Amino acid sequence: MALKLGAYTACLHDRPLTEALDILQANGLTSVEVNTGGFIPSPHCPVDLLLSSATAREEYLATFTDRGMELTGLNCNGNPLNPLPGVGPKHADDLRRTIVLAGLLGVKNVVTMSGTPGSDPDAKYPSWVVNPWDGVYMDVLDYQWGVAVEFWKEIDALARANDVRVAIEMHPHNVVFSPVTLKRLVDETGATNLGAEMDPSHLMWQGMDIVASIKWLGPLVFHAAAKDATLCPGADIRGVLDTSFTRVPADSPGKVPTGYGFWCNSWPENPAWKFVAVGVGHDVAYWSEFLQALADVDPDMAVNIEHEDAAYSQTEGLALAAKNLHSAAERL
């Protein structure tokens, strides 16, 4: 038994699936995670076709197995609780369809985010509460958790019916953004098929101990991402809750959508933190400890690189991450 090292193909969305797989294979990666909806399109997974045709599913899976690779996860990151009518309902529907598809494909894990509702039943926009020292924000959280629990009970039942596990990425801007909030969601829903996708990068810049987080969650860690982050000099005056982002023009090429009419903003010039290739923010020894902690939970767990380091091209960053991840695995 050994950890399955691979990559999430979102960083190669401008290339056909077969070319993306060849790039992963050239870097010694055998585990693959593809996008199926939510924030970004799904060029590497024809969801409608695969839901409707057993033959198409067989041919699709053969694309991986013929290369000695395994499709280990379907990724549907989004905000299914967003009150905006062009975002929340679509992301929720994408998630439901992804769970059904995962069951049909025999893919065990679906990766997503918990989402964030508005502050109250009449809210137009999502509202993320960070530090509820003011009592009014406890009312907001009570409402939001009520919405989240109701939704995720339904999703847990759907996942159970399809023999699929839903691995939630603990990501700021969501009600679940830490091990404590992940455990709260599982406890309050009584879930059997909800757990964590251990993406360490978002916990790193919040100041958490990643190995301690893995050990604390234990068997609730279903799936993992290999993604690094580092604090920057800008943290001295910005802190990690900085809001100094700027808008990206609507006609800007390469903008990343987050919903109808919305997309990712630009980072500050001197950010408090940033995503970097695996091994750039934390050394190989650190990543070896990360992999060991995951292996202690499940020695067959999939660990997929998510490349978002703007300092490197798609293929350069992926190659660097793969090299360092392999080096970390060799130390186990």
Side-chain angles (χ1 to χ4, degrees), residues 2-7 30-33 70-73 107-109 111 165 167 196-199 221-226 290-291 294-295 298-305 325:
L3 295 171
K4 301 170 183 177
L5 304 184
T30 59
S31 171
V32 186
E33 184 177 327
E70 180 184 356
L71 181 60
T72 56
V107 175
K108 194 67 176 178
N109 292 313
V111 178
R165 304 188 303 181
E197 189 239 12
M198 180 52 68
D199 180 335
V221 179
F222 293 166
H223 193 77
F290 171 74
L291 293 179
L294 294 175
D298 177 3
D300 292 323
M301 189 178 300
V303 185
N304 294 329
I305 294 165
L325 195 63

mmCIF file of all heavy atoms in Angstrom, residues 2-7 30-33 70-73 107-109 111 165 167 196-199 221-226 290-291 294-295 298-305 325:
data_model
loop_
_atom_site.group_PDB
_atom_site.id
_atom_site.type_symbol
_atom_site.label_atom_id
_atom_site.label_comp_id
_atom_site.label_asym_id
_atom_site.label_seq_id
_atom_site.Cartn_x
_atom_site.Cartn_y
_atom_site.Cartn_z
ATOM 1 N N ALA A 2 0.464 2.275 -0.753
ATOM 2 C CA ALA A 2 1.239 3.508 -0.817
ATOM 3 C C ALA A 2 0.325 4.658 -1.193
ATOM 4 O O ALA A 2 -0.691 4.469 -1.867
ATOM 5 C CB ALA A 2 2.360 3.381 -1.845
ATOM 6 N N LEU A 3 0.677 5.843 -0.733
ATOM 7 C CA LEU A 3 -0.080 7.025 -1.113
ATOM 8 C C LEU A 3 -0.098 7.177 -2.628
ATOM 9 O O LEU A 3 0.882 6.861 -3.308
ATOM 10 C CB LEU A 3 0.550 8.269 -0.478
ATOM 11 C CG LEU A 3 0.516 8.360 1.043
ATOM 12 C CD1 LEU A 3 1.366 9.544 1.514
ATOM 13 C CD2 LEU A 3 -0.914 8.507 1.561
ATOM 14 N N LYS A 4 -1.213 7.655 -3.145
ATOM 15 C CA LYS A 4 -1.355 7.857 -4.589
ATOM 16 C C LYS A 4 -1.028 9.309 -4.905
ATOM 17 O O LYS A 4 -1.775 10.214 -4.536
ATOM 18 C CB LYS A 4 -2.786 7.524 -5.013
ATOM 19 C CG LYS A 4 -3.202 6.098 -4.692
ATOM 20 C CD LYS A 4 -4.690 5.896 -4.913
ATOM 21 C CE LYS A 4 -5.112 4.485 -4.518
ATOM 22 N NZ LYS A 4 -6.579 4.278 -4.646
ATOM 23 N N LEU A 5 0.084 9.546 -5.559
ATOM 24 C CA LEU A 5 0.527 10.906 -5.863
ATOM 25 C C LEU A 5 0.051 11.308 -7.249
ATOM 26 O O LEU A 5 0.231 10.573 -8.220
ATOM 27 C CB LEU A 5 2.044 11.007 -5.774
ATOM 28 C CG LEU A 5 2.675 10.570 -4.447
ATOM 29 C CD1 LEU A 5 4.178 10.822 -4.476
ATOM 30 C CD2 LEU A 5 2.038 11.260 -3.255
ATOM 31 N N GLY A 6 -0.544 12.487 -7.350
ATOM 32 C CA GLY A 6 -1.075 12.921 -8.636
ATOM 33 C C GLY A 6 -1.273 14.413 -8.688
ATOM 34 O O GLY A 6 -0.569 15.176 -8.020
ATOM 35 N N ALA A 7 -2.240 14.840 -9.480
ATOM 36 C CA ALA A 7 -2.486 16.266 -9.650
ATOM 37 C C ALA A 7 -3.941 16.524 -10.018
ATOM 38 O O ALA A 7 -4.622 15.666 -10.594
ATOM 39 C CB ALA A 7 -1.572 16.850 -10.727
ATOM 40 N N THR A 30 0.387 9.406 -10.961
ATOM 41 C CA THR A 30 -0.580 8.393 -11.388
ATOM 42 C C THR A 30 -2.006 8.682 -10.934
ATOM 43 O O THR A 30 -2.941 8.058 -11.420
ATOM 44 C CB THR A 30 -0.183 7.010 -10.859
ATOM 45 O OG1 THR A 30 -0.123 7.054 -9.422
ATOM 46 C CG2 THR A 30 1.176 6.590 -11.414
ATOM 47 N N SER A 31 -2.195 9.593 -10.006
ATOM 48 C CA SER A 31 -3.524 9.942 -9.497
ATOM 49 C C SER A 31 -4.009 11.212 -10.188
ATOM 50 O O SER A 31 -3.234 12.146 -10.391
ATOM 51 C CB SER A 31 -3.456 10.153 -7.978
ATOM 52 O OG SER A 31 -4.667 10.684 -7.484
ATOM 53 N N VAL A 32 -5.296 11.226 -10.546
ATOM 54 C CA VAL A 32 -5.842 12.365 -11.295
ATOM 55 C C VAL A 32 -7.146 12.831 -10.674
ATOM 56 O O VAL A 32 -7.990 12.033 -10.281
ATOM 57 C CB VAL A 32 -6.101 11.992 -12.769
ATOM 58 C CG1 VAL A 32 -6.517 13.230 -13.568
ATOM 59 C CG2 VAL A 32 -4.876 11.338 -13.399
ATOM 60 N N GLU A 33 -7.282 14.150 -10.602
ATOM 61 C CA GLU A 33 -8.514 14.790 -10.118
ATOM 62 C C GLU A 33 -8.950 15.800 -11.179
ATOM 63 O O GLU A 33 -8.121 16.579 -11.656
ATOM 64 C CB GLU A 33 -8.228 15.490 -8.791
ATOM 65 C CG GLU A 33 -9.405 16.130 -8.109
ATOM 66 C CD GLU A 33 -9.006 16.717 -6.763
ATOM 67 O OE1 GLU A 33 -8.106 16.140 -6.095
ATOM 68 O OE2 GLU A 33 -9.562 17.764 -6.380
ATOM 69 N N GLU A 70 -5.158 6.574 -12.362
ATOM 70 C CA GLU A 70 -6.442 6.371 -11.701
ATOM 71 C C GLU A 70 -7.134 7.711 -11.475
ATOM 72 O O GLU A 70 -6.516 8.670 -11.015
ATOM 73 C CB GLU A 70 -6.237 5.670 -10.357
ATOM 74 C CG GLU A 70 -7.535 5.424 -9.589
ATOM 75 C CD GLU A 70 -7.310 4.806 -8.223
ATOM 76 O OE1 GLU A 70 -6.147 4.495 -7.886
ATOM 77 O OE2 GLU A 70 -8.302 4.660 -7.476
ATOM 78 N N LEU A 71 -8.408 7.758 -11.802
ATOM 79 C CA LEU A 71 -9.220 8.929 -11.499
ATOM 80 C C LEU A 71 -9.647 8.813 -10.043
ATOM 81 O O LEU A 71 -10.504 8.005 -9.687
ATOM 82 C CB LEU A 71 -10.437 8.975 -12.418
ATOM 83 C CG LEU A 71 -11.388 10.163 -12.255
ATOM 84 C CD1 LEU A 71 -10.671 11.484 -12.516
ATOM 85 C CD2 LEU A 71 -12.590 10.009 -13.191
ATOM 86 N N THR A 72 -9.042 9.615 -9.171
ATOM 87 C CA THR A 72 -9.252 9.476 -7.727
ATOM 88 C C THR A 72 -10.196 10.513 -7.146
ATOM 89 O O THR A 72 -10.614 10.380 -5.994
ATOM 90 C CB THR A 72 -7.914 9.577 -6.980
ATOM 91 O OG1 THR A 72 -7.277 10.820 -7.320
ATOM 92 C CG2 THR A 72 -7.004 8.416 -7.343
ATOM 93 N N GLY A 73 -10.539 11.544 -7.903
ATOM 94 C CA GLY A 73 -11.421 12.559 -7.344
ATOM 95 C C GLY A 73 -12.089 13.395 -8.412
ATOM 96 O O GLY A 73 -11.510 13.656 -9.468
ATOM 97 N N VAL A 107 -15.786 6.438 -8.603
ATOM 98 C CA VAL A 107 -14.815 7.356 -7.983
ATOM 99 C C VAL A 107 -15.271 7.628 -6.556
ATOM 100 O O VAL A 107 -16.397 8.073 -6.328
ATOM 101 C CB VAL A 107 -14.704 8.670 -8.777
ATOM 102 C CG1 VAL A 107 -13.795 9.657 -8.061
ATOM 103 C CG2 VAL A 107 -14.183 8.390 -10.178
ATOM 104 N N LYS A 108 -14.423 7.372 -5.595
ATOM 105 C CA LYS A 108 -14.842 7.393 -4.193
ATOM 106 C C LYS A 108 -15.039 8.794 -3.629
ATOM 107 O O LYS A 108 -15.923 9.022 -2.800
ATOM 108 C CB LYS A 108 -13.804 6.659 -3.342
ATOM 109 C CG LYS A 108 -14.268 6.326 -1.932
ATOM 110 C CD LYS A 108 -15.393 5.305 -1.942
ATOM 111 C CE LYS A 108 -15.792 4.894 -0.527
ATOM 112 N NZ LYS A 108 -16.926 3.937 -0.541
ATOM 113 N N ASN A 109 -14.228 9.761 -4.074
ATOM 114 C CA ASN A 109 -14.230 11.071 -3.418
ATOM 115 C C ASN A 109 -14.643 12.211 -4.341
ATOM 116 O O ASN A 109 -14.153 12.325 -5.469
ATOM 117 C CB ASN A 109 -12.833 11.376 -2.859
ATOM 118 C CG ASN A 109 -12.464 10.465 -1.714
ATOM 119 O OD1 ASN A 109 -13.256 10.259 -0.801
ATOM 120 N ND2 ASN A 109 -11.268 9.907 -1.759
ATOM 121 N N VAL A 111 -14.641 16.338 -4.175
ATOM 122 C CA VAL A 111 -14.060 17.472 -3.446
ATOM 123 C C VAL A 111 -14.915 18.703 -3.674
ATOM 124 O O VAL A 111 -15.302 19.009 -4.812
ATOM 125 C CB VAL A 111 -12.613 17.741 -3.918
ATOM 126 C CG1 VAL A 111 -12.034 18.952 -3.193
ATOM 127 C CG2 VAL A 111 -11.750 16.508 -3.698
ATOM 128 N N ARG A 165 -17.956 9.553 -0.958
ATOM 129 C CA ARG A 165 -17.606 10.415 0.170
ATOM 130 C C ARG A 165 -17.391 11.843 -0.342
ATOM 131 O O ARG A 165 -16.775 12.033 -1.394
ATOM 132 C CB ARG A 165 -16.337 9.928 0.859
ATOM 133 C CG ARG A 165 -16.397 8.491 1.334
ATOM 134 C CD ARG A 165 -15.192 8.117 2.181
ATOM 135 N NE ARG A 165 -13.924 8.327 1.486
ATOM 136 C CZ ARG A 165 -12.735 8.056 2.005
ATOM 137 N NH1 ARG A 165 -12.648 7.571 3.230
ATOM 138 N NH2 ARG A 165 -11.631 8.270 1.327
ATOM 139 N N ALA A 167 -15.499 15.208 0.308
ATOM 140 C CA ALA A 167 -14.339 15.741 1.009
ATOM 141 C C ALA A 167 -14.361 17.265 0.903
ATOM 142 O O ALA A 167 -14.186 17.820 -0.183
ATOM 143 C CB ALA A 167 -13.053 15.172 0.415
ATOM 144 N N ALA A 196 -13.040 15.634 5.258
ATOM 145 C CA ALA A 196 -12.165 16.737 4.855
ATOM 146 C C ALA A 196 -11.327 16.388 3.641
ATOM 147 O O ALA A 196 -10.851 15.256 3.492
ATOM 148 C CB ALA A 196 -11.233 17.120 6.006
ATOM 149 N N GLU A 197 -11.162 17.370 2.767
ATOM 150 C CA GLU A 197 -10.069 17.356 1.803
ATOM 151 C C GLU A 197 -8.973 18.206 2.436
ATOM 152 O O GLU A 197 -9.168 19.401 2.666
ATOM 153 C CB GLU A 197 -10.487 17.965 0.455
ATOM 154 C CG GLU A 197 -9.426 17.752 -0.614
ATOM 155 C CD GLU A 197 -8.889 19.027 -1.221
ATOM 156 O OE1 GLU A 197 -9.156 20.103 -0.668
ATOM 157 O OE2 GLU A 197 -8.186 18.964 -2.236
ATOM 158 N N MET A 198 -7.862 17.573 2.762
ATOM 159 C CA MET A 198 -6.793 18.274 3.465
ATOM 160 C C MET A 198 -5.931 19.055 2.476
ATOM 161 O O MET A 198 -4.933 18.562 1.960
ATOM 162 C CB MET A 198 -5.942 17.280 4.264
ATOM 163 C CG MET A 198 -4.791 17.915 5.032
ATOM 164 S SD MET A 198 -5.251 19.300 6.104
ATOM 165 C CE MET A 198 -6.217 18.492 7.369
ATOM 166 N N ASP A 199 -6.372 20.275 2.175
ATOM 167 C CA ASP A 199 -5.560 21.224 1.410
ATOM 168 C C ASP A 199 -4.823 22.064 2.445
ATOM 169 O O ASP A 199 -5.435 22.913 3.112
ATOM 170 C CB ASP A 199 -6.444 22.105 0.529
ATOM 171 C CG ASP A 199 -5.650 23.105 -0.294
ATOM 172 O OD1 ASP A 199 -4.527 23.454 0.112
ATOM 173 O OD2 ASP A 199 -6.163 23.553 -1.334
ATOM 174 N N VAL A 221 -10.265 12.728 7.500
ATOM 175 C CA VAL A 221 -9.495 13.170 6.335
ATOM 176 C C VAL A 221 -9.658 12.106 5.250
ATOM 177 O O VAL A 221 -9.158 10.994 5.370
ATOM 178 C CB VAL A 221 -8.006 13.373 6.669
ATOM 179 C CG1 VAL A 221 -7.238 13.817 5.418
ATOM 180 C CG2 VAL A 221 -7.848 14.417 7.777
ATOM 181 N N PHE A 222 -10.358 12.460 4.178
ATOM 182 C CA PHE A 222 -10.662 11.520 3.100
ATOM 183 C C PHE A 222 -9.687 11.600 1.921
ATOM 184 O O PHE A 222 -9.457 10.614 1.236
ATOM 185 C CB PHE A 222 -12.066 11.798 2.535
ATOM 186 C CG PHE A 222 -13.207 11.519 3.462
ATOM 187 C CD1 PHE A 222 -14.476 11.992 3.163
ATOM 188 C CD2 PHE A 222 -13.042 10.786 4.636
ATOM 189 C CE1 PHE A 222 -15.552 11.746 3.990
ATOM 190 C CE2 PHE A 222 -14.119 10.527 5.482
ATOM 191 C CZ PHE A 222 -15.381 11.010 5.157
ATOM 192 N N HIS A 223 -9.158 12.791 1.685
ATOM 193 C CA HIS A 223 -8.498 13.104 0.405
ATOM 194 C C HIS A 223 -7.568 14.268 0.690
ATOM 195 O O HIS A 223 -7.740 14.975 1.683
ATOM 196 C CB HIS A 223 -9.592 13.519 -0.592
ATOM 197 C CG HIS A 223 -9.195 13.586 -2.024
ATOM 198 N ND1 HIS A 223 -9.041 12.464 -2.809
ATOM 199 C CD2 HIS A 223 -8.956 14.647 -2.842
ATOM 200 C CE1 HIS A 223 -8.741 12.835 -4.047
ATOM 201 N NE2 HIS A 223 -8.674 14.155 -4.088
ATOM 202 N N ALA A 224 -6.558 14.486 -0.155
ATOM 203 C CA ALA A 224 -5.608 15.560 0.140
ATOM 204 C C ALA A 224 -5.138 16.270 -1.118
ATOM 205 O O ALA A 224 -5.109 15.701 -2.202
ATOM 206 C CB ALA A 224 -4.403 15.010 0.905
ATOM 207 N N ALA A 225 -4.764 17.533 -0.921
ATOM 208 C CA ALA A 225 -4.146 18.335 -1.979
ATOM 209 C C ALA A 225 -2.717 18.650 -1.557
ATOM 210 O O ALA A 225 -2.447 18.869 -0.380
ATOM 211 C CB ALA A 225 -4.923 19.633 -2.189
ATOM 212 N N ALA A 226 -1.819 18.648 -2.520
ATOM 213 C CA ALA A 226 -0.456 19.091 -2.275
ATOM 214 C C ALA A 226 -0.357 20.515 -2.821
ATOM 215 O O ALA A 226 -0.249 20.716 -4.034
ATOM 216 C CB ALA A 226 0.545 18.172 -2.957
ATOM 217 N N PHE A 290 4.085 15.759 6.345
ATOM 218 C CA PHE A 290 2.693 15.882 5.881
ATOM 219 C C PHE A 290 2.216 14.549 5.301
ATOM 220 O O PHE A 290 1.146 14.035 5.661
ATOM 221 C CB PHE A 290 2.625 16.990 4.832
ATOM 222 C CG PHE A 290 1.315 17.113 4.097
ATOM 223 C CD1 PHE A 290 0.189 17.644 4.711
ATOM 224 C CD2 PHE A 290 1.218 16.721 2.767
ATOM 225 C CE1 PHE A 290 -1.015 17.764 4.031
ATOM 226 C CE2 PHE A 290 0.024 16.848 2.068
ATOM 227 C CZ PHE A 290 -1.096 17.366 2.702
ATOM 228 N N LEU A 291 3.020 13.962 4.414
ATOM 229 C CA LEU A 291 2.644 12.701 3.789
ATOM 230 C C LEU A 291 2.561 11.578 4.813
ATOM 231 O O LEU A 291 1.666 10.719 4.736
ATOM 232 C CB LEU A 291 3.645 12.345 2.690
ATOM 233 C CG LEU A 291 3.673 13.261 1.467
ATOM 234 C CD1 LEU A 291 4.751 12.787 0.483
ATOM 235 C CD2 LEU A 291 2.315 13.319 0.779
ATOM 236 N N LEU A 294 -0.697 11.786 6.668
ATOM 237 C CA LEU A 294 -1.790 11.297 5.833
ATOM 238 C C LEU A 294 -1.775 9.775 5.748
ATOM 239 O O LEU A 294 -2.822 9.120 5.843
ATOM 240 C CB LEU A 294 -1.690 11.896 4.430
ATOM 241 C CG LEU A 294 -1.901 13.397 4.300
ATOM 242 C CD1 LEU A 294 -1.653 13.828 2.854
ATOM 243 C CD2 LEU A 294 -3.305 13.816 4.729
ATOM 244 N N ALA A 295 -0.575 9.203 5.563
ATOM 245 C CA ALA A 295 -0.451 7.751 5.454
ATOM 246 C C ALA A 295 -0.883 7.061 6.738
ATOM 247 O O ALA A 295 -1.411 5.941 6.705
ATOM 248 C CB ALA A 295 0.989 7.375 5.102
ATOM 249 N N ASP A 298 -4.660 6.946 6.246
ATOM 250 C CA ASP A 298 -5.029 6.041 5.159
ATOM 251 C C ASP A 298 -3.829 5.881 4.234
ATOM 252 O O ASP A 298 -3.502 6.811 3.489
ATOM 253 C CB ASP A 298 -6.223 6.602 4.385
ATOM 254 C CG ASP A 298 -6.616 5.740 3.191
ATOM 255 O OD1 ASP A 298 -6.003 4.677 2.991
ATOM 256 O OD2 ASP A 298 -7.534 6.138 2.454
ATOM 257 N N PRO A 299 -3.156 4.743 4.252
ATOM 258 C CA PRO A 299 -1.956 4.565 3.434
ATOM 259 C C PRO A 299 -2.223 4.592 1.935
ATOM 260 O O PRO A 299 -1.283 4.725 1.149
ATOM 261 C CB PRO A 299 -1.427 3.196 3.865
ATOM 262 C CG PRO A 299 -2.598 2.497 4.476
ATOM 263 C CD PRO A 299 -3.430 3.566 5.102
ATOM 264 N N ASP A 300 -3.489 4.498 1.528
ATOM 265 C CA ASP A 300 -3.841 4.543 0.110
ATOM 266 C C ASP A 300 -4.433 5.881 -0.321
ATOM 267 O O ASP A 300 -4.991 5.990 -1.409
ATOM 268 C CB ASP A 300 -4.856 3.439 -0.216
ATOM 269 C CG ASP A 300 -4.253 2.058 -0.109
ATOM 270 O OD1 ASP A 300 -3.079 1.901 -0.467
ATOM 271 O OD2 ASP A 300 -4.950 1.136 0.349
ATOM 272 N N MET A 301 -4.317 6.891 0.514
ATOM 273 C CA MET A 301 -4.955 8.170 0.213
ATOM 274 C C MET A 301 -4.366 8.813 -1.043
ATOM 275 O O MET A 301 -3.168 8.712 -1.308
ATOM 276 C CB MET A 301 -4.804 9.136 1.394
ATOM 277 C CG MET A 301 -5.632 10.418 1.264
ATOM 278 S SD MET A 301 -5.466 11.515 2.704
ATOM 279 C CE MET A 301 -6.074 10.481 4.037
ATOM 280 N N ALA A 302 -5.224 9.490 -1.804
ATOM 281 C CA ALA A 302 -4.773 10.253 -2.963
ATOM 282 C C ALA A 302 -4.309 11.631 -2.501
ATOM 283 O O ALA A 302 -4.996 12.298 -1.721
ATOM 284 C CB ALA A 302 -5.894 10.388 -3.976
ATOM 285 N N VAL A 303 -3.149 12.048 -2.998
ATOM 286 C CA VAL A 303 -2.581 13.364 -2.692
ATOM 287 C C VAL A 303 -2.306 14.032 -4.031
ATOM 288 O O VAL A 303 -1.344 13.697 -4.731
ATOM 289 C CB VAL A 303 -1.284 13.244 -1.872
ATOM 290 C CG1 VAL A 303 -0.783 14.629 -1.466
ATOM 291 C CG2 VAL A 303 -1.489 12.361 -0.649
ATOM 292 N N ASN A 304 -3.148 14.995 -4.397
ATOM 293 C CA ASN A 304 -3.088 15.584 -5.731
ATOM 294 C C ASN A 304 -2.561 17.022 -5.700
ATOM 295 O O ASN A 304 -3.093 17.871 -4.980
ATOM 296 C CB ASN A 304 -4.477 15.558 -6.368
ATOM 297 C CG ASN A 304 -4.948 14.139 -6.640
ATOM 298 O OD1 ASN A 304 -4.143 13.252 -6.906
ATOM 299 N ND2 ASN A 304 -6.247 13.909 -6.568
ATOM 300 N N ILE A 305 -1.534 17.273 -6.487
ATOM 301 C CA ILE A 305 -0.946 18.606 -6.584
ATOM 302 C C ILE A 305 -1.969 19.582 -7.153
ATOM 303 O O ILE A 305 -2.662 19.278 -8.129
ATOM 304 C CB ILE A 305 0.288 18.582 -7.501
ATOM 305 C CG1 ILE A 305 1.406 17.741 -6.879
ATOM 306 C CG2 ILE A 305 0.787 20.000 -7.805
ATOM 307 C CD1 ILE A 305 2.511 17.373 -7.864
ATOM 308 N N LEU A 325 7.447 16.599 -4.250
ATOM 309 C CA LEU A 325 6.531 15.650 -3.622
ATOM 310 C C LEU A 325 7.099 14.238 -3.673
ATOM 311 O O LEU A 325 7.018 13.488 -2.695
ATOM 312 C CB LEU A 325 5.162 15.711 -4.323
ATOM 313 C CG LEU A 325 3.995 15.043 -3.574
ATOM 314 C CD1 LEU A 325 3.738 15.743 -2.241
ATOM 315 C CD2 LEU A 325 2.733 15.081 -4.430
#
